[in-house]
Amino acid sequence: MKQLTKAEEQVMQALWQTGPAFVKDIIEVMPDPKPHYNTVSTLIKILMEKGFVDYKAFGKSHQYFALITKDAYSHKTVNNLVKGYFGGSFSNLVSFFVKEKELSINDLEKLVQKIKNTQKPKP
């Protein structure tokens, strides 16, 4: 899966939010300042080339839809972040946030509890 630029990611976020949409609908949900129609059209064409978006034609209009779910993209992006900056170790990622005081002991305890709740018991 290819990496997205910040602008491409903003378009994808809008498309994930709206579901299948026309360019004007995508622009409507994007943050201010709103990008120009032609800018969004160009970004959508790039996203199509990268395999993230496709369209359904309605006469001369195109309704665009995501080919990749937000969860799938998030999973890949987080894994790339951990691999590239933390040596592939999620422990190093958590340690980083603890050191930066972004994660408290209470937060860590909640995280451990969530992990325990999601792990399946072994037979």
Side-chain angles (χ1 to χ4, degrees):
M1 184 181 304
K2 296 182 180 182
Q3 196 68 23
L4 298 179
T5 66
K6 185 176 180 178
E8 292 165 352
E9 197 169 302
Q10 284 182 331
V11 171
M12 286 303 298
Q13 290 287 352
L15 198 51
W16 285 321
Q17 181 181 341
T18 62
F22 298 94
V23 173
K24 66 179 182 61
D25 301 321
I26 294 168
I27 293 169
E28 193 173 294
V29 299
M30 292 182 75
D32 289 328
K34 304 283 188 201
H36 191 271
Y37 186 96
N38 290 343
T39 302
V40 175
S41 291
T42 300
L43 289 168
I44 289 172
K45 287 176 187 163
I46 293 167
L47 289 165
M48 288 175 61
E49 290 170 6
K50 289 184 172 184
F52 282 83
V53 172
D54 204 351
Y55 69 91
K56 183 175 180 182
F58 292 92
K60 292 183 180 183
S61 296
H62 294 108
Q63 184 183 50
Y64 299 96
F65 57 92
L67 292 173
I68 295 170
T69 66
K70 185 176 183 178
D71 285 344
Y73 182 72
S74 297
H75 180 77
K76 184 69 172 173
T77 301
V78 169
N79 283 339
N80 286 342
L81 172 79
V82 171
K83 187 177 180 182
Y85 291 95
F86 300 100
S89 168
F90 281 90
S91 295
N92 289 346
L93 171 71
V94 172
S95 295
F96 171 80
F97 284 111
V98 170
K99 287 177 193 170
E100 295 297 315
K101 301 199 182 349
E102 299 290 330
L103 198 60
S104 69
I105 297 296
N106 189 35
D107 292 334
L108 282 172
E109 288 171 351
K110 289 178 184 176
L111 183 59
V112 168
Q113 191 58 46
K114 283 183 182 179
I115 291 169
K116 285 180 181 178
N117 290 341
T118 58
Q119 287 182 340
K120 296 177 182 175
K122 295 178 183 177

